[in-house]
Amino acid sequence: MAVTATTHLNFRGDARRALEFYQSVFGGHLTVVAYGDFGMPKDLPDADRVVFGQVTAESGFSIMAYDAPGQSPATTAPTATTRENGMTLTGERFFVAVGGDTAEEVSALWDRLADGAEVIEKYGPSQFAPGFGMLTDRFGVTWILQVNVTPGG
């Protein structure tokens, strides 16, 4: 049996722009379906918002997103994520973690994802990986990018 998990991001009107940005960073195929495509009358305010969106790349990268309906209550903003003395301090409930096989491969992703982002820890060598960095992108999603390492290796 194979099990996979895909991060599903929830937005309030930014899902299409976020998915297009993630496709520009990671490549792959973009699927976007609006509420209006599923039968919502096209003249309603949320008809053009995303009910289903996904980016899937040949590399194995996959992420999903949608726009929460306008009536959904907003969540409380988390406290800012910081790194101090090698520790991550945060009020966020999740991060999106992306790993690659080489520092060069991950560095290229970092450079694209960092456009318009708030850098929490600049990408570079760390005590536990040849490359590690942390940022919050222009859509408010916090990402960890690192070079994959094998335990004990």
Side-chain angles (χ1 to χ4, degrees):
M1 173 174 96
V3 176
T4 61
T6 300
T7 303
H8 188 284
L9 303 173
N10 306 318
F11 292 95
R12 300 199 162 293
D14 289 337
R16 184 181 310 270
R17 287 193 340 246
L19 288 163
E20 289 169 349
F21 177 64
Y22 301 147
Q23 181 190 32
S24 77
V25 171
F26 297 100
H29 177 74
L30 171 65
T31 302
V32 176
V33 180
Y35 284 95
D37 298 330
F38 274 8
M40 176 185 275
K42 303 267 186 199
D43 58 340
L44 289 180
D46 288 346
D48 64 339
R49 289 190 172 191
V50 176
V51 68
F52 174 82
Q54 185 168 13
V55 173
T56 54
E58 289 183 23
S59 65
F61 175 84
S62 179
I63 198 156
M64 297 173 71
Y66 94 119
D67 288 312
Q71 303 302 323
S72 297
T75 59
T76 308
T79 58
T81 299
T82 60
R83 295 263 306 158
E84 295 178 21
N85 302 317
M87 295 184 302
T88 302
L89 307 174
T90 188
E92 294 186 48
R93 296 180 60 105
F94 73 92
F95 303 137
V96 179
V98 175
D101 292 333
T102 68
E104 295 76 22
E105 173 184 43
V106 177
S107 179
L109 294 173
W110 173 270
D111 290 343
R112 292 190 297 267
L113 195 58
D115 183 24
E118 178 183 330
V119 174
I120 297 165
E121 183 162 326
K122 187 177 181 202
Y123 179 78
S126 73
Q127 293 176 321
F128 52 85
F132 170 85
M134 193 172 193
L135 59 79
T136 300
D137 74 17
R138 62 177 83 169
F139 299 100
V141 177
T142 299
W143 295 78
I144 296 170
L145 276 77
Q146 68 183 33
V147 177
N148 296 328
V149 294
T150 55

